């Protein structure tokens, strides 16, 4: 769960359309593109997000804390507010068992709404399994968004199971005509009900019914499991929802669309899923839009790779021209403008955040790491070294501990006393790999970039076109990233990491011919034959159908382009083009039985680094094939 970067600010006005919708006239404010590694401290999940008069309010599920009795579940709700989506204020215990007479255990998935001067908080409680049990969806009301909230009706609002939908994970959506609706459901089914003007009683549909089933059409792959969230854009109703198992890597966000408030909702694809380089099981989300910039944001929970508690994050997302959602690519970034280092694990030293920088006092070998697992990467950070020792970045780190060389991995540092850049590797001892002279001044900020691909490691300082150091070493192939100091006080800022070779978990569709694009190998479990458990499918039906992906090219040079594919009976042929130019021969994906292969597609010389459009155009099909489909696992760029 590593996405942070509080840059690229976007001006936000007040009336914000939200998945748990509330619209109010308000003030202009600003928002970053990402929020992470997590935007509030502590373990929280299931975030709803609202905007009231220019202030953002996040409604999450709180995890059990030390000292609370086991086995009874959490019995209170904390809220978080922010005017800039960077600095958040905690509002603890806005409602609890003290305010809800029928609450016995498990208060979770709160969501918010506003109407006629009152603020409403909807929640799930007691986890009922059928009619006649005490529990379901409740509603509380307050005069202020921070509460205190009181139970509005003294009983559950919905306490029955209809159409197989568990009464939980509710989402309030207010349409353009002012009619309020509540979508809710778990156990694989979803309902919508009308809310009356009092926001605490249910209305009826024209046919006299109360509950309408609106479960997105089931296809057998990533079907609806829970947590519907609805928003409207260009006359289209979008429902995001969670699929997979909430406790493991299969948990993810899918979405469906409809022209009607009551559906049918047709699945359109995946919006957010596990990325094995940075975070696990993202899901149960909220949505919010800026009406002034047209920027959209998804708030969600996720897990770090090596820990089970859930934490909160958000990312900006965008739409294709055909109104489909471009899948979210979670980021690994931190510029410390939020004043904390949530998500970093420290090994030795005294670490503090102030002035938008990460400070460490002089220490013989202090490290701070992000829970990531990168093989090939582009890692950038601003490093301000002190007058003694050296300071810099570590990568491909494993087995970290407290001590100067208590880790396995690589370190690139700025050595002011000796006026040099250095790189070496540690394994409870230190091995120097290379040094390069450079004029360095203490307490001066330098931009450092590492480009590591296979055994090739390049270190750039200030000049991002010519590496200061270029070495080869194959000792360590993957691991965490972080920052480090050796006998030097130092500051760090603008940390950013991205995958430089595989796009396995990050194949983000940037355009299609309009045919269905889905994911494969990520239903209730992983397809272990995939390189990292996920692949993408273009369900093509004709020659010249296509799918394109935006792929980051780390540096200007010649690469061998390899593509991991899943061959099979209904596969087509494709021609690869990059930025509109065809490369390599036509590739045939037909096979008698399902199999995986890595194809050597082309050798391409790129004149510049940066994002390139990789287009897979359907060129035909094998005479024995039953279809034109393309199933892609990853794109790999191997430097020549």
């Amino acid at each position: 769960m590593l996405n942070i970067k509080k840059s690229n600010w976007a001006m936000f006005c007040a009336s914000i359309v939200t998945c748990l919708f509330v619209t109010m006239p308000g003030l202009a404010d600003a928002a970053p593109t990402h929020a992470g590694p997590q935007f509030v401290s502590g373990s929280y999940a299931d975030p709803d997000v609202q905007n009231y008069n220019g202030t953002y309010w996040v409604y999450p599920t709180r995890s059990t804390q030390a000292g609370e009795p086991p086995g009874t579940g959490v019995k209170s709700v904390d809220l978080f507010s922010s005017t800039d989506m960077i600095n958040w204020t905690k509002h603890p215990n806005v409602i609890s068992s003290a305010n809800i007479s029928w609450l016995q255990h498990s208060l979770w998935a709160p969501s918010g709404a506003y109407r006629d001067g009152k603020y409403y908080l909807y929640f799930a409680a007691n986890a009922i399994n059928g009619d006649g049990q005490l529990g379901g969806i409740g509603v509380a009301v307050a005069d202020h968004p921070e509460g205190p909230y009181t139970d509005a009706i003294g009983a559950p609002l919905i306490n029955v199971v209809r159409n197989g939908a568990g009464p939980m994970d509710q989402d309030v959506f207010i349409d353009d005509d002012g009619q309020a609706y509540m979508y809710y459901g778990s156990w694989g089914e979803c309902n919508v009900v009308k809310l009356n003007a009092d926001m605490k009683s249910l209305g009826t549909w024209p046919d006299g019914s109360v509950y309408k089933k609106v479960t997105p059409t089931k296809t057998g792959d990533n079907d609806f499991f829970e947590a519907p969230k609805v928003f409207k854009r260009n006359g289209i109703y979008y429902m995001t929802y969670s699929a997979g198992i909430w406790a493991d890597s299969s948990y993810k966000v899918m979405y469906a669309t409809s022209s009607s408030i009551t559906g049918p909702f047709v699945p359109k694809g995946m919006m957010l899923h596990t990325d094995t380089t940075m975070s696990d099981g993202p899901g149960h989300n909220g949505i919010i839009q800026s009406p002034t910039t047209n920027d959209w944001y998804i708030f969600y929970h996720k897990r770090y790779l090596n820990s089970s508690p859930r934490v909160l994050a958000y990312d900006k997302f965008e739409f294709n021209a055909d109104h489909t959602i471009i899948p979210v690519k979670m980021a690994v970034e931190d510029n410390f403008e939020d004043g904390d280092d949530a998500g970093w694990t420290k090994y030795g030293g005294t670490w503090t955040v102030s002035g938008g920088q990460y400070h460490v006092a002089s220490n013989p070998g202090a490290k701070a790491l992000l829970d990531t697992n990168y093989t090939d990467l582009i890692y950038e950070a601003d490093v301000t070294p002190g007058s003694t020792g050296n300071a810099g970045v570590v990568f491909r780190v494993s087995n970290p501990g407290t001590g100067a060389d208590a880790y396995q991995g690589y370190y690139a540092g700025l050595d002011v006393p000796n006026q040099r850049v250095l790189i070496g590797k540690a394994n409870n001892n230190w091995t120097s790999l290379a040094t390069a002279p450079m004029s360095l001044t203490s307490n001066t900020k330098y931009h450092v970039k590492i480009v590591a691909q296979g055994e090739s490691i390049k270190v750039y300082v200030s000049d991002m076109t010519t590496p200061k150091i270029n070495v080869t070493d194959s000792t360590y192939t993957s691991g965490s990233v972080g920052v480090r100091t050796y006998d030097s006080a130092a500051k760090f800022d603008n940390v950013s990491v991205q995958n430089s070779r595989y796009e396995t978990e990050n194949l983000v569709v940037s355009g299609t011919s309009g045919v269905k694009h889905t994911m494969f190998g990520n239903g209730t479990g992983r397809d272990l034959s995939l390189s990292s458990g996920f692949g993408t499918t273009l369900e093509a039906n004709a020659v010249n159908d296509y799918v394109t992906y935006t792929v980051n090219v780390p540096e200007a040079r010649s690469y061998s382009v390899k593509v991991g594919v899943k061959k099979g009976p209904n596969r087509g042929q494709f021609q690869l083009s990059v930025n509109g130019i065809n490369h390599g021969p036509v590739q045939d994906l037909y096979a008698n039985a399902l199999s995986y292969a890595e194809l050597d597609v082309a050798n391409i010389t790129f004149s510049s680094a940066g994002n390139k459009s990789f287009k897979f155009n359907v060129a035909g099909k094998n005479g024995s094939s039953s279809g034109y489909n393309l199933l892609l696992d990853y794109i790999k760029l191997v430097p020549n």
Side-chain angles (χ1 to χ4, degrees), residues 329-562:
K329 185 174 182 179
M330 295 180 284
V332 181
E333 301 176 351
D334 202 341
N335 66 6
F336 304 102
E337 289 183 6
D338 56 1
D340 67 42
D341 60 352
W344 291 82
T345 301
K346 282 82 70 179
Y347 299 88
T350 301
W351 298 84
T352 57
V353 178
S354 64
Q357 291 182 303
Y358 203 15
H359 297 246
V360 62
S362 180
N363 184 279
K367 300 178 290 295
L369 302 179
L370 292 171
D371 187 358
T372 56
N373 187 31
Y374 281 96
T375 297
D376 300 309
L377 76 163
I378 302 173
Y379 178 15
E380 299 187 61
D382 289 338
V383 179
T384 303
S387 59
T388 61
N390 52 76
V393 299
V394 287
F395 55 100
R396 292 181 179 171
V397 173
S398 61
N399 301 316
T402 300
D405 300 316
Y407 65 101
Q408 294 176 324
Y410 298 101
Y411 166 68
L414 305 181
D415 183 349
V416 172
N418 294 300
Q419 295 291 285
R420 63 179 183 170
V421 180
L422 62 89
I423 186 171
K425 57 186 177 181
N427 184 10
N428 293 313
N429 53 51
W430 176 251
T431 301
S432 177
L433 294 176
T435 62
M438 182 176 180
S439 176
L440 298 169
T441 303
S442 64
N443 302 312
T444 299
K445 182 184 293 185
Y446 296 92
H447 191 68
V448 176
K449 180 172 76 171
I450 306 296
V451 178
Q453 293 181 296
E455 63 181 13
S456 171
I457 302 173
K458 296 181 180 181
V459 182
Y460 299 79
V461 182
S462 297
D463 176 4
M464 296 295 106
T465 59
T466 304
K468 294 292 184 184
I469 296 176
N470 187 348
V471 298
T472 58
D473 189 87
S474 59
T475 306
Y476 303 114
T477 58
S478 65
S480 299
V481 299
V483 294
R484 177 181 183 266
T485 183
Y486 180 76
D487 286 337
S488 175
K491 303 173 187 177
F492 304 93
D493 198 1
N494 297 318
V495 174
S496 174
V497 192
Q498 57 184 300
N499 205 325
S500 70
R501 179 176 290 188
Y502 288 148
E503 292 292 325
T504 304
E505 298 284 73
N506 302 316
L507 279 178
V508 178
V509 178
S510 48
T512 71
S513 56
V515 293
K516 185 177 179 182
H517 184 269
T518 62
M519 308 296 289
F520 72 95
N522 58 344
T524 57
R526 294 191 170 196
D527 185 336
L528 298 180
S529 296
L530 290 167
S531 61
S532 294
F534 297 90
T536 62
T537 303
L538 176 69
E539 295 186 5
N541 53 28
V543 172
N544 293 327
D545 282 343
Y546 67 87
V547 60
T548 64
Y549 303 96
T550 299
V551 177
N552 181 70
V553 175
E555 60 179 325
R557 65 172 300 162
S558 174
Y559 293 90
S560 173
V561 179
K562 301 176 184 292

Side-chain angles (χ1 to χ4, degrees), residues 188-212:
E189 300 293 350
C190 179
N191 285 340
V192 63
V193 296
K194 281 187 172 182
L195 287 175
N196 291 324
D198 63 7
M199 300 295 280
K200 57 184 181 180
S201 62
L202 304 182
T204 58
W205 298 98
D207 62 4
S209 65
V210 176
Y211 304 92
K212 290 286 187 184

Side-chain angles (χ1 to χ4, degrees), residues 107-189:
L107 178 63
W108 80 98
S111 58
Y114 169 84
R115 171 155 282 174
D116 298 333
K118 296 291 185 180
Y119 298 86
Y120 295 89
L121 189 154
Y122 299 85
F123 57 90
N126 295 357
I128 67 172
N129 296 310
D131 296 1
Q133 301 176 23
L134 181 62
I137 296 173
V139 55
V141 64
D143 293 325
H144 307 282
E146 68 272 24
Y149 287 85
T150 58
D151 191 346
I153 58 177
L157 175 62
I158 299 177
N159 64 345
V160 295
V161 177
R162 295 292 181 264
N163 303 318
M168 62 188 77
D169 290 1
Q170 66 292 324
D171 163 42
V172 174
F173 168 74
I174 302 176
D175 209 349
D176 300 334
D177 61 1
Q179 175 63 56
Y181 302 90
M182 179 187 289
Y183 292 82
Y184 73 90
S186 187
W187 312 340
E189 300 293 350

Side-chain angles (χ1 to χ4, degrees), residues 18-231:
T18 204
C19 73
L20 318 158
F21 188 75
V22 161
T23 309
M24 293 183 63
L27 308 172
D29 50 8
T33 301
H34 308 289
Q38 60 194 71
F39 66 85
V40 296
S41 298
S43 178
Y44 291 89
D46 313 330
D48 175 25
V49 56
Q50 305 289 344
N51 184 284
Y52 305 131
N53 284 338
T55 298
Y56 298 90
W57 291 85
V58 171
Y59 299 68
T61 297
R62 180 175 66 79
S63 295
T64 303
Q65 297 176 351
E68 293 182 321
T72 62
V74 171
K75 295 183 179 179
S76 67
V77 170
D78 298 338
L79 301 185
F80 294 89
S81 66
S82 175
T83 57
D84 57 12
M85 294 175 70
I86 297 172
N87 301 287
W88 295 86
T89 299
K90 180 178 178 179
H91 305 272
N93 200 33
V94 300
I95 192 168
S96 69
S97 55
N99 313 105
I100 308 169
S101 61
W102 52 276
L103 175 61
Q104 297 173 331
H105 60 85
S106 302
L107 178 63
W108 80 98
S111 58
Y114 169 84
R115 171 155 282 174
D116 298 333
K118 296 291 185 180
Y119 298 86
Y120 295 89
L121 189 154
Y122 299 85
F123 57 90
N126 295 357
I128 67 172
N129 296 310
D131 296 1
Q133 301 176 23
L134 181 62
I137 296 173
V139 55
V141 64
D143 293 325
H144 307 282
E146 68 272 24
Y149 287 85
T150 58
D151 191 346
I153 58 177
L157 175 62
I158 299 177
N159 64 345
V160 295
V161 177
R162 295 292 181 264
N163 303 318
M168 62 188 77
D169 290 1
Q170 66 292 324
D171 163 42
V172 174
F173 168 74
I174 302 176
D175 209 349
D176 300 334
D177 61 1
Q179 175 63 56
Y181 302 90
M182 179 187 289
Y183 292 82
Y184 73 90
S186 187
W187 312 340
E189 300 293 350
C190 179
N191 285 340
V192 63
V193 296
K194 281 187 172 182
L195 287 175
N196 291 324
D198 63 7
M199 300 295 280
K200 57 184 181 180
S201 62
L202 304 182
T204 58
W205 298 98
D207 62 4
S209 65
V210 176
Y211 304 92
K212 290 286 187 184
K213 181 177 178 177
V214 289
T215 309
T217 306
K218 295 187 177 182
T219 64
D221 182 30
N222 299 313
D223 288 339
F224 176 94
F225 178 64
E226 63 183 6
K229 303 291 179 184
V230 171
F231 64 94

